[in-house]
Amino acid sequence: MADPSVFAQILDYSNRANPYPLYAELRKTPVARQENGSYVVSTYREIEELLHDPRMSSDVRNLAHPAAGVPSQESSPSFLRLDPPEHDRLRRLAMRHFGPPHTPGRVDGMVPDLRGIVTRLIDGFAGRNEVDVVDDFAYPFPVTVICELLGVPREDEPRFHVWVEAGLEALDPKAASPEQQQKHAQASAEMGQYLTELIESHRRSPGSDLLSAMVTDDGPDGRMSQEQLLSTAFLLLVAGHETTVNLITNGMLTLLRHPDVLERLRRDPDLPIRLVEELLRYEPPVHFVPWRAALDDIEIADTTIPAGSQVILVLASGSRDPEHAREPDRFDPDRFDPDRFGLARDDDQHLGFGGGIHYCFGAPLARLETQIALRELACRLEHPRLVADPPPYRPNPVLRGPLHLPVRFDGIVPAQPTATTGRHEPEEQPVAQGT
Ligand code: HEM
């Protein structure tokens, strides 16, 4: 049986660079009760089962004893933290303007813009022989994209960056200090004020962005209330970039550790789809879903999780479960067969975007951004190499990724028109959809 302190070690910053051996230890007890009464679930089958179990709630108000890091009870939580039917209605209201069937072309229509942003960012490396992949590329790219998508002025980024960082600090399950909680509360209030003004300006003069569409929607589900608009805008703004930055950075780090795959990426325009799926399995940005609550006693893996308990689903461990994936610790982009997307889950499926009703809303966009970003970095950086391995990591164990990723290179090659408009066009290479 795994020692309950294994999870404490995983939360410890000293293990941030490589938590995977600890996940293997954790999987010896698929459902492990912790000293504080929460349950940590680490195996693929059990996580999948619980992600699809209607007795599992995402609403922290159902926790009998909220533990450290559990977000304070907001008056109007976003749909990430709601259960049906409210979750489903709000998700539908937002999805109507983001994806099929109501708005099928939104994400694919962004390809030229995404390529333009990536090209400009890499052009900006000219004259340098070292960049920080996080600060100079992987952060500004998805931030610019989500701002354009939502209709948030890009120049406001320094303001909301501070608020978002304070929020993430407070959500560390290990120890959100009273100071961090206080900072978080103040940041939430300031962000709320900022978004309220933004929503008002979109109401007065709507544009073609997602926020304008949600503010003015008169669809079958009616309009969102002001509070629901606020929580949805907040959720999309944060979820829309804080995760993708880590996937791009984890991706570049993994490629630099596997130069054969980096070289293949330069030559093979079909590789990015498979590569990004393998990254979501092998080095995912979201390591746990920390705040599920059991609504009833749940029997699973010879354990009873009592009603009201906090349940932590360790997605990153499940995706490396040897009972599910062959040679799970081997990075192998050929594991994935793009033709099988959307079919029954097989051993190449991962938990990188969660599962069930909360399956990641932005998955098609995140995939597309990362496919474009990694291919362009691979094609345009001459002889890129790591400065430090492992790089320094961000403190957060839930949204795990490098804080900085310094990379040296000999120069940049000009953007290739064929690489930027050819094989990645949506009609030739559809974006892989999750289940
Ligand atoms: C690589 C990037 C991303 C990863 C790894 C990721 C991962 C996840 C995961 C694991 C969940 C499930 C959370 C849960 O079950 O409680 C989730 C939900 C969500 N994601 Fe993402 N995400 C990414 C990018 C994005 C982007 C770009 C957006 C917005 C455009 C987005 C919006 C959301 C939203 C709104 C939810 C809540 C869905 C619901 O509750 O129904 N994500 N994401």
Side-chain angles (χ1 to χ4, degrees):
M1 175 164 168
D3 185 329
S5 64
V6 175
F7 190 61
Q9 290 176 54
I10 289 167
L11 297 183
D12 195 284
Y13 182 71
S14 61
N15 290 309
R16 198 70 74 246
N18 184 14
Y20 298 104
L22 289 167
Y23 290 156
E25 197 56 32
L26 203 58
R27 284 191 298 267
K28 290 180 181 167
T29 310
V31 180
R33 186 180 187 280
Q34 306 298 297
E35 269 176 15
N36 67 359
S38 64
Y39 287 77
V40 171
V41 185
S42 53
T43 43
Y44 185 90
R45 202 178 57 183
E46 280 69 26
I47 295 173
E48 263 284 286
E49 202 175 313
L50 292 175
L51 282 170
H52 291 88
D53 191 328
R55 296 169 299 171
M56 292 290 289
S57 169
S58 287
D59 189 335
V60 293
R61 291 169 293 192
N62 290 313
L63 289 173
H65 306 288
V70 172
S72 50
Q73 302 184 359
E74 305 120 312
S75 54
S76 179
S78 71
F79 62 87
L80 173 71
R81 301 228 190 89
L82 287 174
D83 299 331
E86 298 95 307
H87 162 271
D88 302 4
R89 174 175 172 270
L90 290 175
R91 181 170 167 131
R92 263 196 319 268
L93 274 167
M95 189 52 99
R96 268 168 62 74
H97 308 289
F98 182 67
H102 192 71
T103 319
R106 170 85 76 177
V107 173
D108 286 348
M110 293 172 73
V111 169
D113 273 356
L114 301 186
R115 294 203 173 291
I117 299 165
V118 165
T119 300
R120 281 195 298 279
L121 285 169
I122 299 179
D123 286 348
F125 298 171
R128 298 169 64 179
N129 63 6
E130 183 176 321
V131 293
D132 176 0
V133 170
V134 178
D135 287 352
D136 296 323
F137 185 80
Y139 180 75
F141 174 39
V143 169
T144 306
V145 173
I146 200 68
C147 283
E148 281 183 14
L149 180 71
L150 280 177
V152 172
R154 177 64 176 83
E155 59 276 15
D156 289 349
E157 182 276 334
R159 294 176 69 194
F160 65 74
H161 180 69
V162 177
W163 301 325
V164 170
E165 285 298 312
L168 293 180
E169 257 180 39
L171 300 187
D172 185 334
K174 189 166 158 246
S177 65
E179 293 75 39
Q180 283 172 322
Q181 294 289 1
Q182 168 64 31
K183 222 166 110 189
H184 173 47
Q186 191 182 334
S188 293
E190 288 173 13
M191 182 98 157
Q193 180 61 35
Y194 168 77
L195 288 175
T196 304
E197 285 163 20
L198 199 66
I199 287 167
E200 275 323 303
S201 85
H202 284 65
R203 210 189 297 280
R204 281 195 303 275
S205 47
S208 57
D209 53 83
L210 200 57
L211 204 51
S212 296
M214 292 191 304
V215 170
T216 55
D217 189 3
D218 280 317
D221 280 307
R223 288 197 182 187
M224 286 190 198
S225 68
Q226 176 69 13
E227 286 206 314
Q228 291 166 339
L229 276 168
L230 257 177
S231 63
T232 306
F234 189 99
L235 169 65
L236 292 176
L237 186 57
V238 177
H241 72 275
E242 279 298 331
T243 44
T244 312
V245 57
N246 287 341
L247 185 60
I248 294 172
T249 313
N250 290 343
M252 196 55 192
L253 175 62
T254 306
L255 285 169
L256 291 168
R257 286 172 172 167
H258 296 83
D260 53 322
V261 183
L262 183 69
E263 184 48 40
R264 271 182 67 194
L265 188 57
R266 294 191 181 112
R267 287 180 281 105
D268 180 358
D270 293 328
L271 190 60
I273 288 184
R274 277 174 287 145
L275 172 79
V276 169
E277 288 316 299
E278 175 66 343
L279 282 172
L280 284 157
R281 186 196 71 80
Y282 180 82
E283 278 285 19
V286 179
H287 274 230
F288 334 132
V289 172
W291 308 296
R292 290 289 204 272
L295 293 175
D296 205 344
D297 289 0
I298 298 176
E299 298 284 338
I300 185 159
D302 300 326
T303 307
T304 303
I305 302 178
S309 304
Q310 180 185 357
V311 183
I312 300 164
L313 305 175
V314 190
L315 305 176
S317 168
S319 291
R320 289 223 193 179
D321 184 347
E323 293 291 317
H324 171 70
R326 276 159 295 165
E327 295 184 76
D329 294 325
R330 192 161 66 87
F331 175 62
D332 174 16
D334 297 321
R335 193 184 290 274
F336 286 88
D337 178 354
D339 294 336
R340 285 216 313 270
F341 275 117
L343 299 181
R345 285 200 180 270
D346 202 344
D347 88 321
D348 62 358
Q349 299 294 302
H350 59 74
L351 299 168
F353 286 127
I357 61 166
H358 293 279
Y359 183 85
C360 179
F361 174 99
L365 176 60
R367 284 184 164 118
L368 190 59
E369 286 176 297
T370 313
Q371 289 160 7
I372 292 173
L374 293 178
R375 166 112 164 114
E376 291 297 312
L377 284 171
C379 289
R380 297 196 58 198
L381 296 189
E382 283 181 61
H383 188 212
R385 55 221 181 254
L386 288 171
V387 172
D389 192 4
Y393 273 77
R394 300 167 90 185
N396 199 310
V398 179
L399 302 183
R400 174 183 167 273
L403 182 62
H404 298 293
L405 185 67
V407 168
R408 284 207 185 111
F409 49 94
D410 294 342
I412 54 166
V413 297
Q416 295 298 311
T418 47
T420 54
T421 57
R423 303 298 301 268
H424 287 288
E425 286 300 312
E427 62 275 17
E428 286 183 41
Q429 194 176 35
V431 179
Q433 303 283 332
T435 51

